[in-house]
């Protein structure tokens, strides 16, 4: 029940922000595209500074729950939803931001491919599971 509630709230947040940004794009596409460029390029998952976060996200990625390819899919879906490739009437700054945003999927795909190519079996240990060690590919 708790996870269902969290998922419902996350879906509601997603819908709100996507709808709000749709309206921002209609009103000021140049600045909106520049904002996308900065936000996506510098995106970091909440909690990234927490001890053990990198290792836990590695486990989550290896388990197929969520990882860079999911982020890639989300970015691709938003680019398509907002039809960023078809936007016209942009300033030079807007066109530059548009080109950068449209380049993200290929850049992220290359990062995902490199991560997959370098992945080897690894042992993890977390205090939350009483320091028990386990391996995952």
């Amino acid at each position: 029940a708790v996870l269902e509630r969290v998922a419902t709230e996350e879906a509601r947040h997603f819908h709100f922000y996507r709808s709000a940004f749709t309206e921002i794009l209609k009103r000021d596409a140049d600045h909106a595209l520049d904002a996308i460029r900065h936000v996506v390029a510098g995106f970091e998952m909440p909690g990234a500074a927490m001890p053990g976060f990198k290792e836990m996200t590695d486990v989550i990625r290896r388990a197929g729950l969520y990882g860079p390819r999911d982020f890639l899919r989300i970015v691709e879906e938003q680019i398509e939803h907002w039809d960023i490739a078809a936007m016209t009437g942009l300033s030079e700054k807007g066109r530059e931001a548009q080109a950068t945003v449209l380049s993200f999927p290929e850049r992220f795909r290359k990062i995902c491919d490199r991560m997959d190519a370098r992945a080897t079996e690894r042992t993890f240990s977390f205090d939350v599971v009483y320091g028990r060690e386990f391996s995952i590919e």
Side-chain angles (χ1 to χ4, degrees):
V2 170
L3 292 177
E4 184 178 326
R5 177 67 186 257
V6 169
T8 299
E9 290 301 313
E10 286 296 321
R12 207 180 332 202
H13 288 136
F14 175 81
H15 178 71
F16 168 78
Y17 286 111
R18 183 160 96 163
S19 298
F21 199 77
T22 297
E23 295 303 316
I24 293 168
L25 275 169
K26 290 177 186 175
R27 288 164 176 75
D28 190 354
D30 292 319
H31 287 100
L33 288 169
D34 193 45
I36 292 173
R37 170 174 47 182
H38 291 304
V39 168
V40 174
F43 179 78
E44 213 173 33
M45 290 294 288
M50 292 175 16
F53 183 83
K54 184 177 178 184
E55 291 78 12
M56 185 60 74
T57 58
D58 195 14
V59 169
I60 291 167
R61 178 186 63 80
R62 290 166 184 256
L65 300 173
Y66 184 85
R69 290 199 188 276
D70 298 293
F71 182 72
L72 166 62
R73 180 184 49 77
I74 291 166
V75 169
E76 289 173 326
E77 287 173 1
Q78 299 325 302
I79 289 171
E80 184 178 328
H81 175 79
W82 290 317
D83 204 10
I84 291 176
M87 293 179 129
T88 59
L90 300 169
S91 69
E92 182 177 341
K93 181 178 179 179
R95 287 189 304 275
E96 289 173 8
Q98 179 187 40
T100 300
V101 170
L102 293 173
S103 75
F104 284 147
E106 185 55 33
R107 289 172 52 196
F108 295 158
R109 197 170 289 108
K110 287 178 182 177
I111 290 168
C112 292
D113 291 345
R114 279 195 305 268
M115 288 178 77
D116 290 345
R118 286 190 274 184
T120 59
E121 187 171 323
R122 183 168 170 209
T123 300
F124 296 90
S125 175
F126 297 101
D127 290 341
V128 71
V129 289
Y130 309 107
R132 187 172 145 239
E133 287 189 0
F134 62 95
S135 296
I136 189 170
E137 287 185 26

